Amino acid sequence: DERLRINFGPAGLVSGLCHTDKENPFPVWQNGHISRCFNQLILGALPHAGMAVFSACYLSLARYGKSICKILLHTSPPCGWTLRLGSTLLAALLFTADVILVSILQQGDMYLDVLADCCAILAWLVHFSAITVLQKSAFRRTRGPPLLLLLVLLSVPNIVITLTIYCNNQECLNLTDLVKFARFVLVSARTFPLLVYLFAFAFPCISDAGYTLYINAVDGSPLIPDSTQPDTGEMVAEDGSGCFSRLFYLWLTPLLKRGQRRELHRPVDVYHLPRKLRTCVIHRYFHQCWEACRPGAVLHKAFGLRYYMLGVLKVVVNMLSFAGPLLLSSLVNFMEEEGAPLSWGMWCTLGLFTATLLSSVLRNIFVFEVSKVALSARAALVTAIYGKALRVSGSSLAGFALGEVVNLMSTDTDRVVNFFNSFHELWSLPFQFSITLYLLYLQVGVAFLGGLCVALLLVPLNKFLASRILSNNKHMLRYKDSRVKLMTEILFGIRVIKFYNWEPHFTQKVDDCRKQELSHLKAIKYLDAMCVYTWAALPVVISILTFITFVLLGHQLTAAKVFTTLALVGMLIFPLNCFPWVLNGILEAKVSLERIQLFFKLPNQDLQAYYALGSRDQNTEGETETVGSLVVVVGKVGCGKSSLLAALTGELNRETGFGLASQEPWIQHASVRDNILFGKDYDPAFYQAVIEACALSDDLSILPNGDKTEVGENGVTLSGGQKARLALARAVYMDKDIYLLDDPLAAVDADVAEHLMQKCIIELLRGKTRILCTHRVEFVDKADVVVLMDNGTIINTGTPEKILPLVEVVPKKRRNDNNAKEKDGVTQDEEELTSPLDLCGDEDSDLTGAEQKQVGGLAWRVYQTYWVAVGGVLAASILMSLLLMQASKNISDWWLSHWISELKNNSSARFNESSPDAFSSPHLLLFSPGGLVSPLSSVQMHPSNMSSDVKFYLTVYGSIAAANTVFTALRAFLFAYGAICAATEIHNRLLDRVLKATVTFFDTTPLGRILNRFSSDLYSVDDSLPFILNILLANVFGLLGMLVVISYGLPWVLVPLIPLAVLYHRTQHFYRHTSRELKRLCSVTLSPVYSHFSETLTGLGTIRASGSSARFEEENAKRLEQNQRCLFLSNAAMQWLDIRLQLIGVAVVTGLGVIAVIQHQFNSVDPGLVGLSLSYALSITTLLSGLIFSFTQTEMQLVSVERTEEYSTSLPTEPQHQNMQLPPAWPEQGWLEFRSVVLAYRDGLPNALDGVSLVVRPGEKVGIVGRTGSGKSTMFLALFRMVEINQGQILLDGLDISSVGLAQLRSRLAIIPQDPFLFSGTIRENLDPCGRHRDEQLLDVLDQCHLSSVVNRKGGLDAGVGERGKSFSVGQRQLLCLARALLTQAKVLCIDEATASVDQKTDQLLQQTIREKFQGKTVLTIAHRINTIMDSDRVLVMRAGKVVEFDTPAALCQTDHSIFQRLVGGGEE
């Protein structure tokens, strides 16, 4: 009984179970560690039992409803939960395996192990079920209850102690007893699921695809997506992602997948910006900083702290970059020593792995964070510049050309943003440099100063080269600015250029600018090449000089010293080389920042001061205040009517704004309705009334989409009359109390003018104060007050009865147009409608048509284009010199490793005699990122034996290196030359093709899009593409060289390299699709930002008048936000790729280390080659990411070649043939005949001319009338073949004009277009750009056009006319255009409403001039004023593209019901 009781009492049970002594059945401490019994029962079974019980509590948790469950099953659960499920299951399996092994072993304490294992199996299975339930419950989006973590952590001590017991027990580690060893392996394996579980808990990755924050979920709660593929356009980037997701950019996956499916076409498909980077958030924050400090320091205040904090990260990254080479040298020393302990090699390899991994991750984080700061700064600057432009005063803005202001937003902002990338380098490069120098000093003592002096001497040289490059860059940009400005004018005035056949002259002008620009570009490229060459030659010079100094100081050269020195010198080069560029970037940013600050310092519109300036208008003050009166201002051309209104705008801006219809209508690139509403709400009744009053209903009925029709930039697709009426409608719809109407009646015909005056100005605007400038005398009598002006002063005011008689005497005319809006040189009638192409607005229109076929990869055609542009032979020789350069570099490195092996072999015989301090030399081997490396021999030789050898090896090394520098020089200079050739060729083809394009192309393509080709795309081809292509080629050849060397040194490396190569290929393939589309979207979303900015600058008057500044700022922010979204994701995608490539690099380096260590154990390794291979491998990450980055960048830049190529090859051009048999005097008589001519502007549009047949006899003067849109201007376009006719013939002196070359035809005709267009330049250049006439003739013509007094006042023929003729009033510009026509001496003259802006007195004088000068010549005149054409020989009346009446004015007046008779009657009323 007693015995039984002892056996079956608690103590006996325990001792039986634990197989312990009955006296002490449950020992806690045994053999110097915790006993197995205590470990298995208290630390093992007990926590596991607790885990099972508490996990079971979660099994009854409420799940989501059925419907939600279905949706949830579609989206994969967050990877954190999945990992935890997997690890719990794995743990249960491992314990099960342990039970099996225990039962095989049949040891004494087997029941203790079985009990503990079974508890564990139960616990992990219950935990598994709990997790399955939790991830379908409300915990799905969280880490789950923290209690779970605690339960798992309780089992950790058990594993740790079990492992310690096993390690102390030699039997378990004995390979002969396999079952015991297997148990040890199982226990070790158990740590894995535990670690995975803890990792998954720490990084739950909740924000996987299904859980990304949605932009519409205001509270940030998840909207469960109803489709399996979430819409990336609704997601927010990065916000709400876990650490793990952020580290490896997993939040990008849905977007990358979408890119791979080729579904990334529109900017709206891209993620939204994280909240901190939203434009509105940054704008508010920046504005607060702006208020808080002086403008100079605002960037510093806004982004300084965050940016400087990143510097700390940079220090860590720099320190880690030295760890790699140091560990590598240690590893090579290990290879050298026979029988070195294995642990040394393993520690080195492990250290290499850790250092490279950490360095990669931290560098990646650093780069991405800096790019975020740069993006924020860009958003802040662009919004600030835009806001300033809206507020700056008109007079101070006049000092800037339009292009310059837009440049502030584009080029200058970009440079300031680049500063963020350069600044940290500014201190980190000297830091790296000084550490390298210290290590060099440890190596060769003071001898390093010899080489260093040369390096430092090169710094001023480099500084000199950098400053030359900088100044050339400045000049180049200046010429680029002037070339782009010239191109802008050419594109604006393309019709005038074509009418007058001036293309050759303007091509020449652009070529001259381009030549200047290229001469500076050439200088830049050659100076660049010079830099590249000096830095490539430097390492050799420095190392050889260092060695000579070392020997002269009486020391002995050894291999160890040679290699280490060379490697260190390689490391010195990088900071020295980069520094000037970093400095350059910072200086450029400084220059740009100063330009931006200058702009910010311009005075804002100060209304009090503004009004004081307009003191000459004080006299009108009394009348203006009479509420509801109609004030009419009259006076002759250039007497200051517009200036009076401009002065008033300043005063009126203080109130709620006012309605302004300026003389040159400013039309937005939007639909007709949007132009009229101008941001106000749509009120159907009032809207209809405005349309009726402004006589727009007929026009809207013929537009393809009614008032939804898109109007081109500056209203290019409307006729002059339509633009004026549209601008008037916009002003009227604003419904303000005060209206300033700057001659809205000039561009319309008599009956429409009558309608506008009566219905709009008098009826619809009744009760408002209206100030109307006009010179249509017939309407003056309707005014309450008339103001007469002359020479900028008011000479009389009073009732119409009092003033009218004076007006008859003083020719009344119109004003000096200060607030003139840019005009577009357009003479189309309204049927010239927007093509369907244009209806989608600019953002998308850039993707329509041509842009769509460019999705996906770049065609080989593009590469071929560039190859051909460079020149085949030249391109081939560039590649050849690159190959030779790389080969000579690799051979010189190999030679060193060969030398060391020889040394080692020779020395082994004399090893024992070597000096006792052989190992005391600090042998340290460092490797340049570019890769020269060699291990050191730790054996020093006796001087006598080695000197001849050293001499031999050094000579060979020197000569290989010398060859290398020659090839380098060759490559650098050949490349520079090739880049210049390509730039020249591509520009010439583009310019040639664009100037030959048809007029229709210019009407349907927004100007900004064409200009983009000439500015940013050409800049890429000139500068960015060669730069990045150079890097790409160097990378490709560098990688090839590296692979050859590595596989030669350690052939085994090819085994892990093959899967890594496959991985690399797949990764970059996955990335490139999305990256390319994102880059394309970046450039597509950039144009709208700039075009909106330039549109705003031209329409400042209207925008301020209507008080719409805030709305325009919002629009700008919206467009900028679109662009920033694409840019941010483009950067993120780059970092996504970078971190993956870095990891591949880490794998290669670690793999190499492991292979080397294993091979060392088998003594089958040549340390020289291993050192070489390893040192090359260290730079593999830099090369791999460099390769892909430069490849994608090259592709991006090649998109510019693709875009210019698209214009150079596929633009519709005008026929270029010439008629060789043409008599030089043709046309001799001026006999003109239309034979059933049919013309439609584009397919699907109504015919603008519909079967027109008529004959104009030689020397006849014909007047052409008809309502807007009846086809009057179209006849001229057909005659000049600006638009080719669809049917019929036009004969000139019996010769079909389609058989004559365009240049021949246009040079024999003269035209005065409807919109007076002047090029900025002198008066002489505008009258006679090609310089065919003498000054006397020019002055004579000016005199005939009554302009000589004005021209003399401005300073003669060499006076400038301002940007697009701004310093002349519109009337004066029309007179200048007339003078131009008089010079051509053509037999046929076409006048298109050329005197609409001229008062009647001047008009009569002009008509007289035309009659005298063109006596015996054929003159066709389109006129709105009937009296202009009353003295014509015959009058042609057009309606809807048909000839309705054609007879003498007298005959038509006699005919009953003739349209002409009605018109005359209307005019005389």
Side-chain angles (χ1 to χ4, degrees):
D1 273 6
E2 194 67 16
R3 212 172 63 240
L4 275 176
R5 221 176 37 249
I6 289 173
N7 279 355
F8 289 101
L13 261 178
V14 169
S15 76
L17 190 65
C18 294
H19 207 65
T20 48
D21 181 21
K22 293 189 180 68
E23 301 306 310
N24 181 13
F26 190 64
V28 177
W29 197 260
Q30 221 175 1
N31 308 337
H33 54 75
I34 287 174
S35 71
R36 285 196 48 160
C37 195
F38 182 84
N39 181 37
Q40 293 287 57
L41 286 177
I42 306 296
L43 300 180
L46 200 62
H48 280 127
M51 181 173 174
V53 173
F54 285 108
S55 299
C57 302
Y58 290 106
L59 293 177
S60 59
L61 207 67
R63 306 184 178 198
Y64 280 130
K66 266 196 180 149
S67 58
I68 292 193
C69 249
K70 268 189 194 154
I71 297 174
L72 275 176
L73 293 176
H74 274 293
T75 62
S76 53
C79 57
W81 284 109
T82 317
L83 282 173
R84 283 157 79 177
L85 264 183
S87 57
T88 45
L89 199 57
L90 181 61
L93 288 173
L94 288 171
F95 279 110
T96 315
D98 195 51
V99 171
I100 296 168
L101 290 176
V102 169
S103 47
I104 293 172
L105 266 176
Q106 297 275 341
Q107 280 180 312
D109 57 358
M110 68 179 273
Y111 295 110
L112 176 67
D113 286 342
V114 170
L115 174 69
D117 283 351
C118 289
C119 279
I121 294 169
L122 180 70
W124 284 109
L125 287 174
V126 175
H127 197 76
F128 175 80
S129 318
I131 285 180
T132 317
V133 172
L134 281 169
Q135 68 166 3
K136 288 182 184 165
S137 73
F139 284 110
R140 183 181 172 95
R141 284 207 72 233
T142 64
R143 289 192 166 87
L147 178 64
L148 296 184
L149 178 69
L150 187 67
L151 297 174
V152 173
L153 283 176
L154 286 177
S155 65
V156 172
N158 173 255
I159 283 196
V160 174
I161 292 164
T162 311
L163 271 175
T164 326
I165 293 171
Y166 273 115
C167 289
N168 292 341
N169 182 354
Q170 287 305 314
E171 284 178 33
C172 300
L173 302 179
N174 191 354
L175 283 177
T176 49
D177 190 349
L178 276 179
V179 183
K180 282 187 177 177
F181 185 69
R183 282 199 70 191
F184 170 63
V185 172
L186 276 181
V187 173
S188 315
R190 246 182 265 162
T191 54
F192 178 69
L194 255 180
L195 288 173
V196 171
Y197 189 98
L198 297 175
F199 182 75
F201 190 88
F203 302 108
C205 307
I206 304 160
S207 285
D208 211 15
Y211 296 100
T212 315
L213 283 182
Y214 278 78
I215 192 83
N216 303 334
V218 182
D219 57 353
S221 62
L223 293 181
I224 294 166
D226 37 6
S227 72
T228 44
Q229 273 155 0
D231 176 22
T232 50
E234 301 256 294
M235 296 183 186
V236 182
E238 212 184 17
D239 282 357
S241 312
C243 316
F244 190 66
S245 170
R246 283 178 182 225
L247 196 60
F248 293 106
Y249 302 92
L250 299 179
W251 50 269
L252 266 178
T253 314
L255 187 75
L256 289 163
K257 282 186 177 152
R258 183 170 187 157
Q260 204 185 17
R261 295 197 303 270
R262 307 282 172 100
E263 289 172 14
L264 202 59
H265 303 320
R266 299 167 310 157
V268 290
D269 295 336
V270 169
Y271 290 161
H272 288 265
L273 287 172
R275 190 177 175 281
K276 279 187 179 154
L277 291 178
R278 299 258 166 86
T279 311
C280 49
V281 176
I282 291 172
H283 179 55
R284 275 201 304 274
Y285 170 63
F286 192 66
H287 192 68
Q288 288 162 4
C289 297
W290 186 278
E291 302 292 297
C293 67
R294 63 179 211 289
V298 65
L299 276 173
H300 173 81
K301 181 169 172 54
F303 308 112
L305 184 67
R306 203 172 128 204
Y307 185 62
Y308 299 136
M309 291 303 289
L310 289 172
V312 180
L313 200 56
K314 182 78 173 162
V315 175
V316 180
V317 172
N318 277 349
M319 298 308 287
L320 282 170
S321 70
F322 282 102
L326 289 168
L327 286 162
L328 201 46
S329 78
S330 172
L331 186 61
V332 172
N333 283 332
F334 158 75
M335 315 286 323
E336 292 244 274
E337 285 195 29
E338 301 287 329
L342 183 62
S343 58
W344 178 7
M346 290 320 287
W347 277 118
C348 284
T349 312
L350 187 67
L352 261 181
F353 168 73
T354 320
T356 45
L357 182 69
L358 258 179
S359 163
S360 310
V361 171
L362 293 178
R363 181 181 290 117
N364 184 280
I365 294 173
F366 170 76
V367 172
F368 191 51
E369 289 303 318
V370 166
S371 78
K372 282 195 208 167
V373 178
L375 263 186
S376 316
R378 178 173 183 257
L381 278 174
V382 172
T383 45
I385 289 173
Y386 189 86
K388 177 69 179 181
L390 283 174
R391 292 176 188 83
V392 71
S393 74
S395 50
S396 51
L397 194 62
F400 284 85
L402 177 72
E404 284 181 86
V405 184
V406 177
N407 250 353
L408 287 178
M409 189 185 267
S410 52
T411 323
D412 290 318
T413 305
D414 287 348
R415 283 175 160 191
V416 173
V417 168
N418 283 339
F419 162 82
F420 286 94
N421 302 326
S422 315
F423 177 73
H424 279 312
E425 296 299 326
L426 189 64
W427 61 262
S428 93
L429 290 174
F431 171 72
Q432 287 173 7
F433 187 67
S434 43
I435 289 190
T436 315
L437 277 185
Y438 174 67
L439 294 174
L440 198 56
Y441 169 70
L442 291 181
Q443 203 53 43
V444 292
V446 288
F448 82 95
L449 292 172
L452 184 65
C453 292
V454 181
L456 294 179
L457 278 178
L458 273 184
V459 173
L461 170 70
N462 232 42
K463 182 78 198 74
F464 168 73
L465 289 178
S467 65
R468 298 294 309 144
I469 289 176
L470 202 61
S471 71
N472 272 303
N473 209 4
K474 242 186 197 156
H475 291 308
M476 183 182 89
L477 285 178
R478 210 180 61 232
Y479 286 116
K480 174 178 183 282
D481 279 351
S482 58
R483 176 175 61 80
V484 172
K485 189 172 150 202
L486 182 62
M487 276 314 300
T488 317
E489 295 207 325
I490 289 177
L491 294 175
F492 262 109
I494 190 74
R495 289 162 168 270
V496 177
I497 293 177
K498 286 188 177 299
F499 276 137
Y500 285 103
N501 186 35
W502 283 341
E503 292 105 323
H505 169 72
F506 279 96
T507 308
Q508 191 50 50
K509 269 182 85 162
V510 175
D511 275 344
D512 292 343
C513 273
R514 179 72 178 160
K515 272 205 189 74
Q516 299 276 24
E517 187 188 352
L518 279 179
S519 69
H520 290 291
L521 182 70
K522 207 174 278 180
I524 292 173
K525 290 289 170 217
Y526 286 142
L527 287 165
D528 259 357
M530 187 72 199
C531 281
V532 171
Y533 174 64
T534 47
W535 291 111
L538 194 61
V540 183
V541 180
I542 292 187
S543 38
I544 289 179
L545 263 173
T546 308
F547 298 148
I548 292 173
T549 322
F550 190 64
V551 173
L552 289 178
L553 288 173
H555 298 293
Q556 180 51 48
L557 263 188
T558 65
K561 294 217 181 311
V562 171
F563 302 132
T564 314
T565 309
L566 284 173
L568 282 168
V569 166
M571 281 195 92
L572 274 185
I573 300 306
F574 177 71
L576 278 177
N577 189 1
C578 286
F579 203 65
W581 294 113
V582 170
L583 222 58
N584 245 6
I586 287 174
L587 291 176
E588 277 183 354
K590 185 171 171 290
V591 171
S592 289
L593 200 57
E594 279 165 2
R595 282 174 56 166
I596 294 175
Q597 274 175 335
L598 189 71
F599 180 66
F600 281 138
K601 282 185 186 139
L602 292 180
N604 280 358
Q605 200 168 20
D606 174 2
L607 303 176
Q608 272 75 14
Y610 197 2
Y611 200 65
L613 290 175
S615 53
R616 60 174 187 209
D617 313 310
Q618 292 297 327
N619 340 22
T620 59
E621 196 66 339
E623 286 79 21
T624 310
E625 296 309 313
T626 326
V627 175
S629 58
L630 169 60
V631 181
V632 174
V633 182
V634 290
K636 64 171 194 282
V637 174
C639 67
K641 297 190 293 294
S642 288
S643 309
L644 167 65
L645 290 194
L648 292 175
T649 45
E651 172 68 1
L652 297 167
N653 258 348
R654 284 189 225 165
E655 294 154 35
T656 53
F658 52 92
L660 170 73
S662 57
Q663 182 176 5
E664 296 194 321
W666 172 70
I667 307 291
Q668 271 191 292
H669 183 83
S671 68
V672 175
R673 175 180 291 187
D674 291 343
N675 262 298
I676 296 176
L677 298 181
F678 204 60
K680 284 181 74 98
D681 295 330
Y682 177 61
D683 168 358
F686 184 49
Y687 180 77
Q688 213 37 56
V690 171
I691 296 278
E692 292 294 330
C694 295
L696 279 169
S697 27
D698 291 0
D699 302 300
L700 292 184
S701 61
I702 47 174
L703 289 172
N705 290 3
D707 62 359
K708 298 271 177 20
T709 308
E710 192 83 23
V711 182
E713 268 177 301
N714 275 306
V716 286
T717 40
L718 302 176
S719 71
Q722 283 170 320
K723 282 197 278 192
R725 298 204 305 276
L726 186 55
L728 180 64
R730 175 177 60 205
V732 174
Y733 193 84
M734 284 177 195
D735 197 22
K736 305 286 190 191
D737 298 334
I738 299 178
Y739 279 89
L740 304 186
L741 306 173
D742 197 350
D743 210 351
L745 310 174
V748 296
D749 355 287
D751 55 341
V752 180
E754 178 68 31
H755 176 100
L756 290 178
M757 188 70 194
Q758 194 53 45
K759 291 275 190 294
C760 179
I761 297 173
I762 293 175
E763 290 174 14
L764 193 60
L765 295 180
R766 177 176 293 124
K768 318 262 189 191
T769 307
R770 292 143 295 170
I771 302 179
L772 168 72
C773 296
T774 185
H775 47 236
R776 296 218 171 195
V777 182
E778 58 267 34
F779 300 137
V780 173
D781 53 357
K782 309 217 168 109
D784 303 319
V785 179
V786 181
V787 175
L788 177 62
M789 293 192 68
D790 191 19
N791 273 337
T793 50
I794 295 175
I795 45 180
N796 214 329
T797 54
T799 57
E801 293 73 42
K802 177 176 146 197
I803 306 287
L804 262 176
L806 301 171
V807 177
E808 306 302 288
V809 191
V810 183
K812 61 190 161 276
K813 228 184 176 174
R814 120 172 137 176
R815 64 247 128 182
N816 178 11
D817 197 6
N818 275 0
N819 55 339
K821 304 289 157 280
E822 293 181 294
K823 263 244 181 138
D824 220 12
V826 171
T827 55
Q828 282 150 289
D829 277 34
E830 33 257 73
E831 304 101 308
E832 247 191 82
L833 308 170
T834 332
S835 67
L837 235 190
D838 239 12
L839 298 180
C840 26
D842 203 317
E843 292 87 322
D844 291 342
S845 67
D846 219 81
L847 284 171
T848 53
E851 294 281 329
Q852 265 168 357
K853 64 169 185 280
Q854 298 173 7
V855 228
L858 279 175
W860 274 106
R861 199 190 67 252
V862 182
Y863 295 96
Q864 190 190 333
T865 305
Y866 196 71
W867 176 277
V868 172
V870 173
V873 180
L874 184 58
S877 44
I878 291 172
L879 291 183
M880 196 61 218
S881 59
L882 254 169
L883 184 66
L884 289 169
M885 176 184 120
Q886 186 60 41
S888 56
K889 180 176 185 317
N890 292 141
I891 290 171
S892 68
D893 291 351
W894 171 81
W895 179 252
L896 284 168
S897 81
H898 168 68
W899 179 3
I900 199 165
S901 310
E902 288 300 303
L903 272 178
K904 189 166 187 250
N905 300 341
N906 298 348
S907 65
S908 45
R910 290 186 292 282
F911 199 100
N912 306 330
E913 322 152 14
S914 68
S915 54
D917 58 4
F919 291 99
S920 63
S921 71
H923 41 239
L924 161 67
L925 175 57
L926 275 147
F927 302 94
S928 63
L932 173 127
V933 183
S934 328
L936 331 174
S937 154
S938 35
V939 181
Q940 295 184 332
M941 299 306 147
H942 290 310
S944 52
N945 317 344
M946 285 313 292
S947 54
S948 61
D949 267 10
V950 169
K951 200 174 286 175
F952 165 68
Y953 284 118
L954 268 181
T955 316
V956 175
Y957 177 71
S959 45
I960 299 175
N964 176 274
T965 57
V966 173
F967 294 136
T968 309
L970 204 63
R971 164 217 157 189
F973 286 98
L974 279 178
F975 196 89
Y977 180 64
I980 303 284
C981 293
T984 317
E985 172 72 10
I986 288 173
H987 173 263
N988 291 349
R989 287 178 51 197
L990 178 68
L991 179 67
D992 185 54
R993 189 73 178 222
V994 167
L995 285 185
K996 286 179 180 163
T998 57
V999 175
T1000 320
F1001 163 73
F1002 292 103
D1003 292 343
T1004 55
T1005 314
L1007 265 191
R1009 213 187 290 172
I1010 308 176
L1011 262 182
N1012 241 345
R1013 302 289 197 279
F1014 280 98
S1015 53
S1016 53
D1017 286 332
L1018 266 181
Y1019 185 69
S1020 286
V1021 172
D1022 289 352
D1023 208 23
S1024 335
L1025 176 63
F1027 179 71
I1028 202 78
L1029 188 60
N1030 206 349
I1031 295 174
L1032 171 71
L1033 292 174
N1035 274 335
V1036 169
F1037 282 96
L1039 190 65
L1040 287 176
M1042 182 171 85
L1043 290 176
V1044 170
V1045 171
I1046 288 184
S1047 31
Y1048 173 70
L1050 282 176
W1052 278 104
V1053 163
L1054 293 175
V1055 179
L1057 270 186
I1058 291 163
L1060 283 175
V1062 174
L1063 190 65
Y1064 176 66
H1065 178 73
R1066 286 201 44 192
T1067 307
Q1068 62 90 29
H1069 188 68
F1070 186 49
Y1071 158 82
R1072 270 179 46 218
H1073 283 294
T1074 309
S1075 159
R1076 195 168 40 223
E1077 294 313 316
L1078 283 173
K1079 270 295 172 6
R1080 275 206 178 116
L1081 288 177
C1082 282
S1083 54
V1084 164
T1085 48
L1086 191 58
S1087 321
V1089 178
Y1090 297 157
S1091 63
H1092 179 247
F1093 187 42
S1094 52
E1095 192 172 76
T1096 306
L1097 289 173
T1098 47
L1100 273 180
T1102 311
I1103 294 170
R1104 287 174 181 167
S1106 59
S1108 319
S1109 300
R1111 184 168 61 84
F1112 272 78
E1113 282 198 73
E1114 248 169 66
E1115 173 66 23
N1116 175 59
K1118 207 168 75 191
R1119 292 179 177 211
L1120 178 66
E1121 175 96 2
Q1122 284 273 39
N1123 183 241
Q1124 295 270 89
R1125 274 163 75 175
C1126 300
L1127 261 179
F1128 171 72
L1129 284 160
S1130 189
N1131 288 341
M1134 217 173 274
Q1135 294 313 108
W1136 177 93
L1137 177 77
D1138 179 70
I1139 190 77
R1140 280 155 181 74
L1141 295 187
Q1142 294 281 4
L1143 293 179
I1144 290 181
V1146 170
V1148 171
V1149 172
T1150 317
L1152 266 174
V1154 172
I1155 290 173
V1157 171
I1158 293 170
Q1159 285 202 337
H1160 176 260
Q1161 291 309 95
F1162 297 108
N1163 294 331
S1164 61
V1165 68
D1166 171 355
L1169 286 175
V1170 172
L1172 189 58
S1173 312
L1174 273 170
S1175 65
Y1176 267 58
L1178 259 196
S1179 61
I1180 193 166
T1181 35
T1182 332
L1183 262 178
L1184 283 181
S1185 50
L1187 178 70
I1188 204 138
F1189 171 72
S1190 53
F1191 183 68
T1192 357
Q1193 282 292 36
T1194 306
E1195 272 208 325
M1196 313 292 143
Q1197 302 296 351
L1198 276 168
V1199 169
S1200 294
V1201 176
E1202 178 182 45
R1203 284 163 54 109
T1204 53
E1205 182 61 11
E1206 173 205 339
Y1207 272 24
S1208 307
T1209 51
S1210 58
L1211 285 196
T1213 52
E1214 301 181 319
Q1216 298 299 321
H1217 70 86
Q1218 298 285 344
N1219 183 340
M1220 292 310 162
Q1221 281 79 51
L1222 194 69
W1226 176 88
E1228 287 174 52
Q1229 302 154 305
W1231 173 288
L1232 179 63
E1233 183 178 354
F1234 279 69
R1235 288 189 186 166
S1236 42
V1237 172
V1238 177
L1239 182 149
Y1241 281 108
R1242 286 187 283 290
D1243 296 339
L1245 292 184
N1247 288 341
L1249 292 180
D1250 201 355
V1252 173
S1253 297
L1254 59 107
V1255 177
V1256 180
R1257 296 188 280 275
E1260 205 172 14
K1261 310 279 180 286
V1262 175
I1264 306 175
V1265 290
R1267 292 202 42 136
T1268 318
S1270 57
K1272 309 184 295 284
S1273 298
T1274 310
M1275 284 182 66
F1276 288 178
L1277 293 180
L1279 178 60
F1280 277 80
R1281 286 179 56 199
M1282 299 295 256
V1283 183
E1284 297 289 345
I1285 56 179
N1286 303 21
Q1287 286 168 310
Q1289 284 181 307
I1290 303 177
L1291 305 179
L1292 190 53
D1293 273 12
L1295 188 63
D1296 187 341
I1297 61 168
S1298 61
S1299 66
V1300 180
L1302 282 181
Q1304 295 168 312
L1305 172 68
R1306 290 174 188 166
S1307 59
R1308 314 289 168 91
L1309 303 172
I1311 186 165
I1312 306 170
Q1314 184 174 5
D1315 288 341
F1317 189 83
L1318 300 183
F1319 297 96
S1320 53
T1322 61
I1323 296 173
R1324 178 188 284 104
E1325 282 170 8
N1326 267 290
L1327 286 179
D1328 180 28
C1330 308
R1332 298 190 184 119
H1333 303 276
R1334 297 195 313 284
D1335 281 8
E1336 297 82 75
Q1337 287 171 288
L1338 300 184
L1339 291 168
D1340 185 34
V1341 173
L1342 286 174
D1343 195 38
Q1344 288 162 1
C1345 295
H1346 310 279
L1347 272 175
S1348 35
S1349 58
V1350 181
V1351 171
N1352 291 336
R1353 210 170 44 239
K1354 303 250 184 220
L1357 287 175
D1358 290 318
V1361 296
E1363 194 176 357
R1364 303 212 188 105
K1366 283 226 172 91
S1367 47
F1368 287 96
S1369 73
V1370 182
Q1372 290 165 338
R1373 281 183 242 170
Q1374 283 187 327
L1375 297 179
L1376 269 174
C1377 292
L1378 176 66
R1380 223 184 242 168
L1382 292 177
L1383 276 175
T1384 55
Q1385 312 282 317
K1387 278 282 188 294
V1388 180
L1389 172 68
C1390 304
I1391 303 175
D1392 190 354
E1393 307 179 23
T1395 52
S1397 301
V1398 177
D1399 56 277
Q1400 289 177 336
K1401 184 79 174 287
T1402 318
D1403 191 15
Q1404 282 166 4
L1405 294 170
L1406 287 178
Q1407 295 305 330
Q1408 200 176 329
T1409 307
I1410 292 171
R1411 270 195 298 281
E1412 290 165 10
K1413 295 299 289 182
F1414 283 89
Q1415 206 164 8
K1417 296 181 183 176
T1418 312
V1419 180
L1420 307 175
T1421 311
I1422 296 178
H1424 283 154
R1425 289 191 197 145
I1426 298 299
N1427 57 351
T1428 319
I1429 53 166
M1430 281 311 278
D1431 59 349
S1432 309
D1433 300 330
R1434 284 195 289 171
V1435 172
L1436 169 67
V1437 182
M1438 302 277 296
R1439 181 198 274 158
K1442 294 187 167 62
V1443 175
V1444 197
E1445 301 166 3
F1446 189 26
D1447 208 338
T1448 60
L1452 287 176
C1453 286
Q1454 303 309 312
T1455 317
D1456 288 346
H1457 309 307
S1458 83
I1459 298 177
F1460 186 67
Q1461 187 189 21
R1462 279 216 309 281
L1463 284 172
V1464 172
E1468 283 167 354
E1469 284 166 23

